Amino acid sequence: MGGRPQPAGPPLRDLYETSALRERAVSESPDGPGHGPGSTVPTVTERSATGRRSRTEPGVGRPASEVRDLQAAFNAAQLAMAVVDREGKVISANQALGALLGAEPARLTDEPAADLVGLGQDSRTWAAYCEVLRGRSERLRCTQRLKSPDGHSVWADVTVAPLADSRSVLMSVADISDRRDLQARLRHLQMHDPVTRLPNRALFFERLAAALDTSVHPRGSTGRIGLCYLDLDGFKAVNDTLGHRVGDQLLSAVAQRLAHCADQAGYGRRGGHLVARLGGDEFALLVEDSTGTEQLSALAGSVLATLQRPFELAGQRLSISASIGVVERVAAGTTATALMQAADTTLYWAKADGKARWTLFDPERNAHRMTRQALASTLRPAVEHGEFTLEYQPLVGLGDGSVRGVEALVRWRHPQFGTLAPNRFIGLAEEDGSIVELGRWVLETACRQARRWQLEHPDAPVFVSVNVAVRQVWDSDLVADVAGILESTGLPPELLQLELTESAVMGSAGRPLQALQALSDMGVSIAIDDFGTGYSNLAYLSRLPVSTLKLDGSFVQGFRDEEHPNPADETIVEALVQLAHRLGLTVTAECVESAEQADRLRRIGCDTGQGWFYSRPVPADRVSALLGPHPAP
């Protein structure tokens, strides 16, 4: 360990006297003390300007017995210690330090203390150590990794602090290896899942945060990150039917296959991967330093393939699959929250697309989803703010070309996205329940406008047809709403038609059937919209108070080509028209776009037509001009 051999360490009093008699001028290198432990550390002059020793010098005035006691306690202490002068050289070391370092204490004298415990290996630690030696700092405490005499590593808690009434400092070295081992074991338990032994959610996000910290990326790194986020399809059924013990065994087997899959792909050799269980049946494969979407796609494909092989557990042969969301992007500017949101969204897409597949994150699809969320969050306030308006599309008699009625179609004049058609927001309104408030507004606005037309054209009144969602029947008193609106607007009930989809009225019973019957008894017409696209169970037509069938536009498409008509479409439409007429119902054909279609529908027997051939949806002020007779096709 360097230093010259000595028979025994000097007593503390002699050490103090020797230290006090050394005069060292303050001499600092122009580059400062940051060059390592071998450089000269400036010391404080130990004599006053008069040349006399300071009265606070240790040992002066102390009884010899006290000094001997201090020396004995120093040598017998279980804590490894050394007295160090202001140049950083060991003045005296005790037996515990010698045993820790595998050297006789006397051999440590005059050795640079920093070298013994590695204080010069880190520039910040070295600078803090020098500050203590200069008397500018009260204490240095750090954890160092040392080599024990038998070659094993030893973790030590090193403290350096000035001695009271002395020009020296005391360095103590405590072996904390057992404590570090315990902390490591506790951390492993804290950061790993007990069922699969994979890293858990906490460790996953710790590694993810480190991977996204671009300031520590090594040279040559791609600067990209990839994530496969998956959950098992049908795992709940395994738990429910075979029990949680088998479910845990399945999770453990899945974890082994995922880890093997990642290793086979080569990530294990580079250490740039992490397979983690995030909770339940959710797993994540984090790929640091990704090379692109092809790499992640290949990994996702191999994961699907390995999980689709049957599992043999507890005498059972289990087959499962997984849905995987794949995200790959540049690490710079990406946050853990944004990455996980993208992964969660993509996993949802994979399940919505049919499960047992992987899906790559699509920015355009995500933008549509974000727009949908933005619309959903502003839908309710939009009704209060008056952002909705109505347009009307005529329903024309195919026999005489006159306007019999109009369908009210709601539009949303969104301040950010412009004018939106019903298909952009009606589904959202049905999901969050705002369809009740919106539907009530549409109904009242359309009835008030129809009453104006009735007063303007008393000889040829037109009815208004309003779409009603099934949730309006369930979540509100539709009968009371209609009755109140008709009374407040003065519109006769026979000039109001309510349209419900075929699937909404299919199998109607209880409250919905009672509501429809009450509305019909009131004089309001009930129409089945998009007829022929739902269940097409004709038996319910005789049980419901329906007055009109609106044939879906898909049937009319086959009437476009006069030279090559589709005979099947014409046969189906003709049969539906005849059936409806025998039941006392009228028939409206939707999506009429040409004179040829209108003519053929008229010959078949359709009562009214609706479509661009007659008019696109128009504002209320343009409907009056259309209320005169329309030329027959």
Side-chain angles (χ1 to χ4, degrees):
M1 260 302 172
R4 54 186 183 280
Q6 294 185 7
L12 284 179
R13 182 183 182 93
D14 294 343
L15 291 171
Y16 290 143
E17 293 293 339
T18 303
S19 174
L21 291 175
R22 294 176 183 169
E23 287 191 39
R24 305 181 180 93
V26 178
S27 56
E28 297 192 17
S29 168
D31 297 326
H35 294 286
S39 60
T40 301
V41 178
T43 62
V44 179
T45 302
E46 297 184 351
R47 289 181 181 274
S48 66
T50 61
R52 297 180 180 179
R53 188 169 56 191
S54 169
R55 288 181 297 171
T56 60
E57 194 75 35
V60 177
R62 291 182 183 271
S65 60
E66 181 180 344
V67 175
R68 285 195 298 272
D69 290 344
L70 290 172
Q71 178 74 56
F74 177 76
N75 286 328
Q78 295 296 315
L79 178 64
M81 294 183 289
V83 178
V84 181
D85 65 20
R86 294 290 177 159
E87 287 185 343
K89 299 294 182 65
V90 174
I91 297 175
S92 179
N94 69 354
Q95 293 292 338
L97 182 62
L100 181 65
L101 299 179
E104 289 295 326
R107 295 179 63 86
L108 302 179
T109 304
D110 285 337
E111 288 290 330
D115 286 354
L116 301 179
V117 292
L119 296 181
Q121 295 175 359
D122 178 72
S123 60
R124 287 181 296 184
T125 303
W126 171 249
Y129 172 61
C130 292
E131 290 295 289
V132 176
L133 294 180
R134 290 193 181 102
R136 298 177 183 174
S137 178
E138 291 296 324
R139 179 182 296 268
L140 164 66
R141 185 171 182 176
C142 60
T143 300
Q144 298 293 107
R145 191 173 185 178
L146 312 178
K147 280 288 186 181
S148 66
D150 59 3
H152 291 89
S153 294
V154 174
W155 286 100
D157 187 357
V158 179
T159 303
V160 182
L163 282 167
D165 303 329
S166 172
R167 300 297 186 188
S168 305
V169 299
L170 180 67
M171 180 177 72
S172 60
V173 185
D175 186 348
I176 60 170
S177 298
D178 291 342
R179 188 173 73 191
R180 290 277 298 201
D181 290 344
L182 177 60
Q183 289 175 341
R185 288 196 295 271
L186 291 176
R187 174 175 167 80
H188 186 274
L189 291 174
Q190 182 184 10
M191 293 295 186
H192 287 75
D193 171 53
V195 174
T196 63
R197 299 184 181 181
L198 289 178
N200 62 12
R201 190 179 190 89
L203 182 53
F204 169 79
F205 278 100
E206 184 179 287
R207 279 282 296 273
L208 177 59
L212 293 174
D213 185 0
T214 56
S215 64
V216 297
H217 283 184
R219 182 175 299 178
S221 168
T222 64
R224 302 185 68 86
I225 189 168
L227 177 64
C228 291
Y229 181 39
L230 65 98
D231 80 359
L232 305 180
D233 303 324
F235 176 73
K236 185 178 183 300
V238 174
N239 259 350
D240 293 344
T241 57
L242 301 179
H244 289 275
R245 186 178 65 84
V246 175
D248 287 349
Q249 292 177 1
L250 177 59
L251 291 174
S252 180
V254 167
Q256 293 177 18
R257 290 194 185 182
L258 292 178
H260 178 73
C261 186
D263 289 340
Q264 288 292 104
Y267 305 122
R269 291 190 293 274
R270 296 196 300 272
H273 86 296
L274 179 73
V275 181
R277 181 190 178 196
L278 301 187
D281 61 341
E282 295 180 356
F283 295 84
L285 287 82
L286 178 67
V287 178
E288 303 173 30
D289 205 24
S290 166
T291 59
T293 57
E294 291 185 2
Q295 180 191 31
L296 268 295
S297 299
L299 176 60
S302 64
V303 167
L304 280 182
T306 192
L307 293 183
Q308 285 174 348
R309 298 199 310 271
F311 292 83
E312 301 287 345
L313 298 173
Q316 300 281 342
R317 185 179 178 88
L318 303 178
S319 295
I320 62 169
S321 61
S323 299
I324 308 176
V326 180
V327 184
E328 200 279 341
R329 59 181 53 177
V330 176
T334 297
T335 64
T337 300
L339 188 69
M340 291 308 298
Q341 284 178 343
D344 186 63
T345 297
T346 313
L347 174 59
Y348 171 80
W349 293 343
K351 286 191 170 296
D353 292 343
K355 301 182 180 180
R357 68 189 63 215
W358 62 266
T359 302
L360 187 65
F361 180 76
D362 181 358
E364 291 186 6
R365 187 174 181 179
N366 187 58
H368 178 74
R369 180 185 68 90
M370 296 298 290
T371 301
R372 179 179 171 87
Q373 290 179 346
L375 293 177
S377 64
T378 57
L379 189 53
R380 286 184 180 274
V383 179
E384 301 174 1
H385 298 160
E387 295 178 7
F388 291 96
T389 186
L390 292 183
E391 292 184 345
Y392 302 88
Q393 188 171 33
L395 294 113
V396 178
L398 291 174
D400 58 9
S402 64
V403 176
R404 304 285 182 85
V406 292
E407 180 180 357
L409 300 170
V410 64
R411 303 287 187 262
W412 185 359
R413 293 178 178 174
H414 196 281
Q416 180 180 356
F417 302 112
T419 301
L420 303 178
N423 62 339
R424 294 289 302 277
F425 58 86
I426 289 298
L428 295 174
E430 291 178 342
E431 290 175 9
D432 69 4
S434 60
I435 189 65
V436 173
E437 184 179 1
L438 177 59
R440 188 179 294 118
W441 176 87
V442 171
L443 183 62
E444 182 176 1
T445 304
C447 288
R448 184 174 293 109
Q449 182 59 56
R451 174 58 173 166
R452 293 195 191 100
W453 289 325
Q454 182 198 16
L455 295 175
E456 293 173 0
H457 305 274
D459 297 334
V462 295
F463 67 87
V464 64
S465 189
V466 179
N467 290 278
V468 176
V470 67
R471 189 161 181 175
Q472 289 178 258
V473 181
W474 282 104
D475 295 358
S476 68
D477 192 342
L478 182 62
V479 176
D481 286 345
V482 171
I485 290 172
L486 291 177
E487 182 179 359
S488 64
T489 60
L491 182 70
E494 61 270 16
L495 294 184
L496 175 62
Q497 176 175 277
L498 299 180
E499 296 186 18
L500 291 91
T501 61
E502 181 180 356
S503 57
V505 299
M506 174 60 185
S508 293
R511 182 176 178 181
L513 179 57
Q514 293 172 6
L516 294 179
Q517 189 61 59
L519 291 168
S520 179
D521 294 343
M522 193 186 300
V524 175
S525 300
I526 306 297
I528 306 282
D529 193 18
D530 298 330
F531 183 79
T533 61
Y535 297 96
S536 299
N537 186 342
L538 303 179
Y540 71 88
L541 291 178
S542 62
R543 300 196 302 266
L544 295 176
V546 176
S547 58
T548 301
L549 296 184
K550 297 188 70 175
L551 296 181
D552 185 73
S554 60
F555 291 108
V556 183
Q557 298 299 319
F559 288 65
R560 283 184 175 182
D561 193 344
E562 182 70 23
E563 296 182 2
H564 304 285
N566 186 337
D569 285 341
E570 187 166 337
T571 301
I572 292 173
V573 172
E574 185 174 6
L576 290 175
V577 170
Q578 291 177 0
L579 175 63
H581 285 170
R582 288 182 180 179
L583 293 173
L585 309 178
T586 61
V587 180
T588 298
E590 298 179 301
C591 300
V592 181
E593 298 179 355
S594 68
E596 291 78 13
Q597 287 175 318
D599 183 55
R600 294 176 66 190
L601 289 167
R602 179 183 57 78
R603 292 200 306 264
I604 287 174
C606 283
D607 301 289
T608 55
Q610 177 183 359
W612 287 5
F613 170 63
Y614 302 107
S615 173
R616 292 174 181 262
V618 295
D621 57 3
R622 293 182 55 187
V623 173
S624 296
L626 301 173
L627 293 182
H630 193 282

